[in-house]
């Protein structure tokens, strides 16, 4: 029994989609992965200013950002290791909510400590923008904001809790969005606190 709430056309919210047991399984996989490969510190193209969020990826392609720009690549930018395959529960959420769309190629993992933020931006580094992005939140609650395709357009705010899932497609796929703040101490899932967000994405355009 999953509740589906339409936030606006193209944006669907599934509160507590993942139960605690599944959240713990995904958390354990991510923490063991981070222990093995290490988070990378993305930086702004050109200036090299570090983001406040640390990152890792699953899947054949991973999103990275450094002084030369934003791109998708099969390897960790700091040590060259190939990304691990998608965890089972991430493949499952895609088949359940994005049934009929081409398979995902990237799963970006963002790690937010208590003071981390993500400014309003658009996700447009993917060639195939017809496929919805799926986002999974774990750990501390975050204040998420979504606007329109115009940076100055009106915005809506939503508190994302551990286990929540969001789908962004159709007319919302190029909407500006960001994370305004993390509410520390709102979840016991992550041993050091903070928040993890996973986004599943189709990157390339398939031939057919
Ligand atoms: C709306 N991550 O990784 S997830 C990102 O919580 C990103 O870490 C945020 O924005 C986070 O790019 C927000 C929600 C989200 C993800 C992708 C979207 C919203 C989106 C793509 C298009 C429109
Ligand atoms: Fe984004």
């Amino acid at each position: 029994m999953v509740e589906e709430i339409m936030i606006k056309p193209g944006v669907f919210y599934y509160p507590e989609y993942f139960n605690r047991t599944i959240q713990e399984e995904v958390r354990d996989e991510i923490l063991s992965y981070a222990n093995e490969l290490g988070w990378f510190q993305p930086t702004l193209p050109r200036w090299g200013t570090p983001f406040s969020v640390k990152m890792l990826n699953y899947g054949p392609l991973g999103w990275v950002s450094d002084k030369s720009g934003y791109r998708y690549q099969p390897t960790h930018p700091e040590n060259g290791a190939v990304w691990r395959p998608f965890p089972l529960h991430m493949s499952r959420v895609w088949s359940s909510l994005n049934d009929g769309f081409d398979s995902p190629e990237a799963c970006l993992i963002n790690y937010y400590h208590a003071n981390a933020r993500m400014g309003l931006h658009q996700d447009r580094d993917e060639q195939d923008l017809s496929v919805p992005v799926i986002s999974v939140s774990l750990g501390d609650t975050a204040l998420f904001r979504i606007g329109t395709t115009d940076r100055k357009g009106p915005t809506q705010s939503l508190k994302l809790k551990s286990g929540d899932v969001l789908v962004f497609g159709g007319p919302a796929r190029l909407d500006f969005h960001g994370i305004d703040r993390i509410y520390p101490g709102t979840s016991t899932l992550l041993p050091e606190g903070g928040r993890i967000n996973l986004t599943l994405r189709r990157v390339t355009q398939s031939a057919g």
Side-chain angles (χ1 to χ4, degrees), residues 25-184:
E25 264 182 57
V26 178
R27 171 202 66 196
D28 290 348
E29 160 54 40
I30 294 169
L31 295 182
S32 99
Y33 187 28
N35 202 47
E36 182 187 295
L37 250 60
W39 298 98
F40 70 93
Q41 182 73 76
T43 65
L44 286 173
R46 194 171 149 103
W47 301 102
T49 312
F51 286 46
S52 60
V53 177
K54 294 186 196 319
M55 298 180 171
L56 256 177
N57 289 272
Y58 287 113
L61 290 174
W63 188 88
V64 302
S65 178
D66 58 21
K67 286 187 96 166
S68 39
Y70 307 130
R71 64 192 175 277
Y72 281 93
Q73 64 178 42
T75 55
H76 189 296
E78 295 175 1
N79 57 36
V82 295
W83 310 115
R84 281 191 189 179
F86 300 124
L88 176 66
H89 293 293
M90 297 305 293
S91 301
R92 277 199 181 148
V93 67
W94 186 276
S95 350
S96 303
L97 301 180
N98 263 355
D99 186 34
F101 286 102
D102 287 340
S103 47
E105 294 168 303
C107 179
L108 174 61
I109 316 170
N110 294 327
Y111 176 71
Y112 296 79
H113 61 74
N115 301 116
R117 307 272 180 273
M118 189 176 284
L120 277 187
H121 67 278
Q122 289 173 297
D123 288 19
R124 51 189 313 160
D125 300 321
E126 301 75 32
Q127 292 153 25
D128 191 342
L129 296 170
S130 71
V131 181
V133 172
I134 295 182
S135 149
V136 175
S137 294
L138 297 175
D140 285 339
T141 300
L143 185 60
F144 168 70
R145 194 144 56 100
I146 182 160
T148 66
T149 54
D150 177 353
R151 182 183 281 282
K152 296 176 169 183
T155 63
Q156 283 171 274
S157 290
L158 196 64
K159 279 184 184 171
L160 297 180
K161 300 184 304 306
S162 200
D164 290 354
V165 171
L166 275 164
V167 178
F168 304 88
R173 180 61 183 79
L174 286 175
D175 283 352
F176 279 89
H177 59 277
I179 294 292
D180 289 337
R181 63 162 300 189
I182 303 297
Y183 297 95

